[in-house]
Amino acid sequence: MIAIKRWIGSLLIVVLCLPLSGCWDYRGLNKISIVTGVAIDRQEESRRYHLTIETIDFSAAGKESAGKPQIVETEGTTIYDAVRNAKKRLAKKLYFGDIKVIVISSQIAREEGINSVLDWFLRDIELRQTATPIISQEKTAKEILTANGVDDKIISEEIEKMIDDDKKNTASTKKVASYQVFDVLQGDKETSLLLPAIHCIPNQEKKVVELNGVAVFKEDKLQGYLSPEETHYYLFGADEIAGGIITFPFAKQESRNQDNFSLEITNNKTKKSYTYDGNRIKVLFDIKTAAYLGEAGTELDDLKMDTLEKIRSTAALTLTQKIENVIKKGQLELGCDIFGVGTMIHKSDPALWYKLRDNWAYYVQTIEVEIRPELVILNTGMTK
Amino acid sequence: MLKSSVEKNKTATIVSSSLEKNIAELKHIFADDGTIGMRQITNCHNNALKYCLVQNDGLVSAAITNANIIKPLIQSKGLLEYGQQIDPLIHQVILINQVKKTNQWQEIIQSVTYGDTILFIEGEMEVLILNSKGFNTRAISEPSGERVLSGPREGFCETLMMNLSMVRRRLRNHELKIKFRSMGTRTHTQVCICYIDTIVNKHVLAELNRRLDMIDIDGVLDTNYITELIRDSRLSPFRTTGYTERPDVVAGKLLEGRIALFVDGSPVALTLPYLFIENFQSNEDYYLSFFYTSFGRFLRICGFILSIMIPALYIVIVAFDREILPTTLLVNIAKERLGVPLPAVLEAFVMLILFDVLKETGIRLPSGIGQALSIVGALVIGQAAVSAKLVAAPMIIVIAVTAVTGLLVPRMDAPIIYIRLLLLALSSAMGLLGFIAGVTIIIIHLLNLHSFGIPQFIPASSLKYQEVKDTFFRGPWWKMLNRPAALTRNKKRMSRGDKE
């Protein structure tokens, strides 16, 4: 009897686990079409969503290549409707589990906000929440997905790799996953949302895509863009930089012509702190940067300690100015709290935040900043 | 035939003092049996001393019979008197190492069929059983199922006494107890229980004897007959008793407090209690460097886990949770699956069963045909099926890995086959959920397994250093100070004069 009870008990444990999960279904790999990217536009006349879906066509692929891109276009009153409508043109079912990018047209982002567009991508179970939303600076988002990739035939994969690697190389855009968009938009909206921006440029007579800084949002509406260079210095302030170059003009002697120097950033740590005097908020940026001298103009022989010190201070000054410019642009031109000062206050002093919250748009514009760069040049690269 | 004749003469269980009557009874008992030979002799100095030797041809040594039995019986002078000759025969005449008196027909029948010579004596109420065994046995060789690279190569053969001698030579100690009993109502097979008195767990020993007493079977031809009758969890595919064909392994197990059971006629010894980890232990683990063998042990455990899980996980990933895969891999698999008519699940079942078919044919195949089989197996099924798009290439890889890892643990054959299919079925019905449910069921089952009152999973559930030193890895000998605590109360392995 006890044995039977034990059996029933353990069986119950197993069976009761089953409804705890989500859905399951058996679907063979040859019945699905793998979606890598989606571009979302608004159809001019019908005002319906126009989706450009990139899938992988592996039937055409030979032994060497992984597959060719295949484009499916579809329309619908909602995103979900449009996705379902695509099945009318396809034998296989679209599978969104491996989606890399969601390209949203700037027109939708500016006029309607991205909330309604991204909702389905966050809500549907099949989708992976790490897909990267991107703002297209072209007239339509479709142009991005139909452009040519330089080293990857599948453009969505190329875009995703470019954005992933950007942090360590050029540091000129910011990777944001779709779940992070959700976090920002569903939060207290104290911080602006930034999404990577992308545009098309000609390269060897072909149209290719290029990352072009970030798009700045107020709540879910597009306010404007930061150029790649501005984004680079924004990332310094936001403590999100892991590489890239600082360039600045420098003359070794007063009489000489100025040369352009490059410092390669190896390590950076930025600490933000704020003070509030009852009227204004003052934010202090403590920036600690370590860099190599990457390129030193024409004169190679003459890097004495004092010259190096001069290079260092010039670079630090450049850094300060550029970061200040970005902050100014954010505050005044876009009216956005791009550095997340609101979040910082909210976390450390909630009472203060609830006081400031209602007039936050005003406070954002009056924030004073002080930047204290601490730049170290680790080596000159000339020991070879 | 034999049984019925004995039953018919139930009254005649005791031998008579008349040689005539006894011979008539013998002829009755062994009617239609051409191998039983009778030889009547008379002492040449005293015609009243009549004897009859009964032997089974082919089981006895003619040289021993002639020189040590017949010759002294015929030639002895003055020592023997009619009616009082049993003791003088034993002590002064017959030159045989083992002599036994009896008056039971049943015992006579069993002895004669085991190669003994029965000496019937005119005028005596008892007969003598003389040891004259001289049958041929297989030579000692290395068991093919448990080969080693280095270490002792002796293996058991089919003769009980020879097997026991091999164990005895390794444990020269009065504490090694060897107890005989007879099993099988028709085969009267000799079964022998060995243990080391001071180390063995007395409860396990008592339990073993209790279970052996309950056995009612007509024949015992191999150890497995006993195993299946006395094991715990009879319906579990997992082993709850150990087996080996090597005397060094038996000695090692006895030293850890286990009990060994031998069956005459079988080269396989049964060892118990059996811990789960013994499935992954090999005697060679202890003969080679512990660095090397620890890795091997680890591989075997991984091999078991992989072998039961890989086909199921493949189905889970390919048909349910594709997002686990990186896109490139997903595209590659999808590319290969393109145009394959069977769904992945059916493909997996078919290929798994096909592999087991190949394996089964390979085991009992005459060695000459093996090559043809491997060509058919590898070429036709592997190469041709893929290029004909009957089976996807990733599936072949999955099956190959499953098969190879499964061969790492030959002791787990039966559980691997069943669990693999169980997990595969559950996974194909319910995806990752079914898989996890299956694994949960197996773990619950394993934790419930006992071997003669001892939980099989003991070292895994109580993590003490001395307990795990011989589980996932093989600790060096200078660290293995204790015996496995579950098996014995006498824990210290390394203490001088091992006395409690």
Side-chain angles (χ1 to χ4, degrees):
Chain A
M1 196 58 212
I2 293 169
I4 295 171
K5 271 187 185 164
R6 274 194 192 155
W7 263 105
I8 294 173
S10 33
L11 211 69
L12 274 180
I13 292 173
V14 175
V15 171
L16 285 177
C17 285
L18 298 182
L20 292 177
S21 70
C23 78
W24 56 271
D25 67 329
Y26 182 94
R27 232 199 295 161
L29 269 183
N30 33 13
K31 302 224 168 67
I32 59 166
S33 188
I34 301 165
V35 175
T36 52
V38 179
I40 303 163
D41 290 300
R42 182 66 94 174
Q43 184 72 263
E44 290 285 336
E45 303 105 49
S46 62
R47 301 303 295 156
R48 277 151 54 102
Y49 284 116
H50 181 95
L51 263 57
T52 311
I53 301 168
E54 187 187 42
T55 63
I56 303 176
D57 172 22
F58 37 75
S59 62
K63 278 236 152 77
E64 302 84 28
S65 66
K68 281 198 316 196
Q70 201 175 28
I71 298 284
V72 188
E73 288 185 79
T74 172
E75 277 182 23
T77 41
T78 61
I79 302 282
Y80 206 175
D81 184 37
V83 167
R84 279 294 155 94
N85 284 340
K87 184 73 181 77
K88 293 182 199 163
R89 299 182 187 182
L90 291 166
K92 295 174 179 176
K93 207 171 171 223
L94 290 174
Y95 165 69
F96 283 84
D98 262 77
I99 191 167
K100 308 287 183 204
V101 293
I102 304 162
V103 186
I104 303 165
S105 84
S106 50
Q107 182 207 359
I108 294 182
R110 199 182 295 277
E111 289 164 13
E112 305 166 34
I114 55 169
N115 225 346
S116 56
V117 174
L118 284 181
D119 189 77
W120 178 73
F121 292 94
L122 292 162
R123 218 177 275 278
D124 196 88
I125 28 136
E126 197 182 74
L127 273 137
R128 78 170 43 185
Q129 312 289 287
T130 51
T132 316
I134 300 171
I135 302 301
S136 154
Q137 289 177 322
E138 297 299 317
K139 200 169 158 223
T140 60
K142 179 187 167 185
E143 285 171 55
I144 302 293
L145 282 195
T146 49
N148 297 297
V150 177
D151 22 51
D152 211 325
K153 284 209 175 106
I154 295 154
I155 194 86
S156 308
E157 285 189 355
E158 171 153 328
I159 295 173
E160 200 213 20
K161 282 177 204 154
M162 287 191 315
I163 293 177
D164 275 348
D165 294 347
D166 182 76
K167 193 175 181 182
K168 283 199 169 156
N169 296 306
T170 54
S172 66
T173 190
K174 185 182 175 184
K175 181 181 165 72
V176 181
S178 57
Y179 72 90
Q180 290 167 318
V181 174
F182 183 75
D183 285 351
V184 175
L185 294 182
Q186 296 298 307
D188 223 348
K189 300 181 176 74
E190 58 268 276
T191 306
S192 290
L193 174 66
L194 277 79
L195 291 180
I198 199 162
H199 68 167
C200 291
I201 50 151
N203 178 40
Q204 281 204 320
E205 291 162 12
K206 274 199 214 156
K207 200 170 72 169
V208 300
V209 292
E210 189 188 59
L211 297 175
N212 194 26
V214 290
V216 183
F217 286 75
K218 195 171 198 177
E219 303 204 350
D220 71 330
K221 290 215 168 62
L222 178 65
Q223 290 304 110
Y225 298 98
L226 295 182
S227 72
E229 200 199 352
E230 285 165 341
T231 310
H232 187 54
Y233 291 100
Y234 156 76
L235 291 174
F236 265 107
D239 193 21
E240 282 178 31
I241 202 153
I245 309 288
I246 310 174
T247 58
F248 53 94
F250 179 74
K252 281 171 199 158
Q253 281 148 24
E254 296 289 322
S255 57
R256 291 268 186 100
N257 286 336
Q258 285 195 328
D259 279 327
N260 278 316
F261 277 48
S262 309
L263 287 185
E264 186 195 352
I265 302 150
T266 61
N267 199 356
N268 181 71
K269 190 85 201 144
T270 303
K271 267 189 193 159
K272 280 177 293 196
S273 53
Y274 73 94
T275 48
Y276 178 64
D277 61 359
N279 189 18
R280 291 188 125 188
I281 303 164
K282 189 174 176 186
V283 180
L284 179 69
F285 289 83
D286 261 318
I287 300 173
K288 282 185 183 151
T289 307
Y292 298 136
L293 188 58
E295 208 178 342
T298 48
E299 301 275 332
L300 293 168
D301 50 336
D302 198 22
L303 288 172
K304 300 266 160 47
M305 281 313 277
D306 53 337
T307 322
L308 211 58
E309 174 54 30
K310 266 193 238 164
I311 294 173
R312 199 198 61 76
S313 57
T314 317
L317 192 68
T318 315
L319 197 59
T320 315
Q321 284 169 349
K322 294 267 173 84
I323 295 173
E324 263 172 1
N325 287 345
V326 181
I327 296 170
K328 285 272 149 53
K329 182 171 178 182
Q331 276 180 306
L332 303 173
E333 198 176 306
L334 306 170
C336 291
D337 173 18
I338 52 176
F339 285 102
V341 178
T343 313
M344 188 166 65
I345 297 172
H346 192 172
K347 276 182 187 161
S348 63
D349 191 352
L352 177 62
W353 166 248
Y354 293 127
K355 217 168 71 184
L356 303 177
R357 184 169 57 174
D358 296 334
N359 281 326
W360 186 238
Y362 161 76
Y363 284 111
V364 165
Q365 296 189 337
T366 58
I367 290 172
E368 272 183 39
V369 289
E370 191 189 335
I371 294 162
R372 285 189 202 149
E374 208 176 291
L375 187 75
V376 185
I377 295 178
L378 293 176
N379 72 42
T380 58
M382 289 305 286
T383 47
K384 285 186 253 197
Chain B
M1 190 68 203
L2 184 139
K3 177 115 184 187
S4 65
S5 68
V6 172
E7 273 165 2
K8 248 189 268 169
N9 298 286
K10 240 178 186 157
T11 44
T13 52
I14 295 173
V15 291
S16 126
S17 61
S18 153
L19 206 54
E20 295 279 321
K21 271 191 189 168
N22 283 336
I23 288 170
E25 182 69 27
L26 263 173
K27 281 191 171 149
H28 179 67
I29 292 173
F30 290 109
D32 297 338
D33 187 340
T35 58
I36 301 294
M38 289 173 217
R39 167 87 159 90
Q40 282 175 284
I41 49 177
T42 312
N43 188 288
C44 62
H45 303 288
N46 183 349
N47 280 348
L49 304 178
K50 286 189 170 131
Y51 310 97
C52 178
L53 295 176
V54 180
Q55 292 182 326
N56 195 333
D57 280 354
L59 294 181
V60 293
S61 155
I64 294 174
T65 320
N66 296 345
N68 303 356
I69 304 175
I70 299 180
K71 195 178 175 195
L73 280 178
I74 292 178
Q75 295 181 346
S76 78
K77 190 177 177 186
L79 291 167
L80 304 166
E81 268 178 65
Y82 182 83
Q84 299 166 9
Q85 45 177 329
I86 281 269
D87 287 328
L89 268 176
I90 297 173
H91 297 303
Q92 289 162 298
V93 177
I94 287 168
L95 310 172
I96 289 290
N97 61 348
Q98 285 172 26
V99 180
K100 204 177 156 196
K101 285 190 279 191
T102 188
N103 60 1
Q104 301 290 322
W105 276 110
Q106 197 57 43
E107 197 174 352
I108 290 168
I109 293 166
Q110 285 181 27
S111 301
V112 121
T113 49
Y114 202 44
D116 289 333
T117 298
I118 315 293
L119 181 64
F120 288 90
I121 309 151
E122 174 71 36
E124 295 288 344
M125 287 300 287
E126 286 179 306
V127 300
L128 294 182
I129 299 175
L130 311 171
N131 176 24
S132 61
K133 293 185 190 75
F135 44 83
N136 287 324
T137 57
R138 185 166 62 97
I140 294 176
S141 60
E142 183 171 22
S144 59
E146 293 171 81
R147 286 184 197 283
V148 291
L149 269 179
S150 77
R153 285 177 210 282
E154 250 184 356
F156 290 136
C157 56
E158 284 75 6
T159 324
L160 180 61
M161 284 304 160
M162 214 140 116
N163 294 347
L164 292 176
S165 75
M166 286 185 236
V167 175
R168 175 62 98 179
R169 261 190 289 133
R170 285 173 169 80
L171 299 166
R172 291 168 54 197
N173 187 325
H174 68 280
E175 286 164 357
L176 172 65
K177 304 294 175 198
I178 301 178
K179 283 191 177 167
F180 288 93
R181 58 192 300 161
S182 176
M183 289 269 159
T185 50
R186 266 163 214 233
T187 56
H188 299 288
T189 313
Q190 290 248 63
V191 170
C192 162
I193 302 168
C194 291
Y195 54 91
I196 295 177
D197 206 25
T198 45
I199 311 176
V200 74
N201 184 333
K202 292 282 157 48
H203 299 292
V204 174
L205 187 61
E207 178 64 20
L208 171 65
N209 280 319
R210 191 184 68 80
R211 291 188 193 177
L212 286 175
D213 289 339
M214 287 182 353
I215 290 181
D216 180 17
I217 190 169
D218 65 340
V220 178
L221 302 185
D222 184 77
T223 321
N224 195 44
Y225 286 54
I226 308 262
T227 308
E228 283 188 14
L229 288 166
I230 64 171
R231 63 167 284 181
D232 304 65
S233 315
R234 293 179 180 187
L235 288 177
S236 168
F238 290 97
R239 285 183 191 284
T240 50
T241 55
Y243 70 94
T244 183
E245 287 189 46
R246 306 189 68 101
D248 50 320
V249 174
V250 167
K253 304 265 184 212
L254 292 179
L255 282 173
E256 284 189 341
R258 290 189 182 82
I259 303 167
L261 189 143
F262 293 86
V263 171
D264 193 21
S266 168
V268 181
L270 175 71
T271 62
L272 54 99
Y274 190 66
L275 302 181
F276 187 70
I277 195 70
E278 287 179 62
N279 286 312
F280 306 105
Q281 291 171 341
S282 143
N283 56 334
E284 212 176 359
D285 288 356
Y286 305 97
Y287 303 152
L288 299 174
S289 148
F290 67 92
F291 286 112
Y292 177 68
T293 57
S294 292
F295 185 66
R297 179 85 56 88
F298 177 74
L299 279 187
R300 269 172 249 148
I301 295 174
C302 291
F304 168 66
I305 295 170
L306 286 179
S307 186
I308 57 171
M309 291 184 173
I310 283 181
L313 275 180
Y314 175 75
I315 294 302
V316 165
I317 288 172
V318 163
F320 295 90
D321 298 298
R322 287 159 298 251
E323 54 268 32
I324 294 172
L325 288 178
T327 314
T328 337
L329 191 56
L330 179 63
V331 169
N332 284 345
I333 295 177
K335 202 168 72 187
E336 291 296 334
R337 294 262 326 125
L338 207 74
V340 175
L342 287 181
V345 171
L346 264 181
E347 221 184 345
F349 272 112
V350 169
M351 290 306 290
L352 275 180
I353 289 167
L354 211 59
F355 163 68
D356 282 326
V357 168
L358 278 179
K359 201 173 89 177
E360 191 62 26
T361 35
I363 292 174
R364 265 167 276 282
L365 209 62
S367 54
I369 314 176
Q371 212 161 9
L373 181 81
S374 63
I375 289 171
V376 170
L379 268 178
V380 176
I381 292 164
Q383 192 73 32
V386 171
S387 52
K389 284 272 179 198
L390 287 176
V391 182
M395 179 54 76
I396 299 278
I397 298 168
V398 165
I399 298 299
V401 175
T402 311
V404 172
T405 48
L407 296 176
L408 274 173
V409 264
R411 268 159 205 275
M412 300 286 267
D413 254 0
I416 282 178
I417 291 176
Y418 286 103
I419 292 172
R420 191 192 278 154
L421 291 177
L422 171 83
L423 286 183
L424 184 58
L426 283 172
S427 300
S428 50
M430 289 182 287
L432 195 57
L433 288 175
F435 177 77
I436 287 166
V439 172
T440 317
I441 292 171
I442 291 160
I443 290 174
I444 291 175
H445 175 66
L446 282 178
L447 290 172
N448 267 321
L449 282 182
H450 282 67
S451 176
F452 289 83
I454 285 162
Q456 277 210 295
F457 240 63
I458 262 209
S461 57
S462 64
L463 282 176
K464 288 182 206 140
Y465 174 67
Q466 275 300 318
E467 290 298 296
V468 294
K469 75 210 176 269
D470 193 16
T471 52
F472 296 110
F473 53 92
R474 200 275 282 178
W477 272 113
W478 38 267
K479 277 288 181 192
M480 291 204 266
L481 306 175
N482 291 352
R483 302 191 174 92
L487 300 178
T488 172
R489 295 280 155 80
N490 187 355
K491 276 207 289 191
K492 282 263 170 286
R493 187 202 284 274
M494 296 194 187
S495 62
R496 301 215 181 257
D498 192 11
K499 294 274 172 342
E500 231 176 346

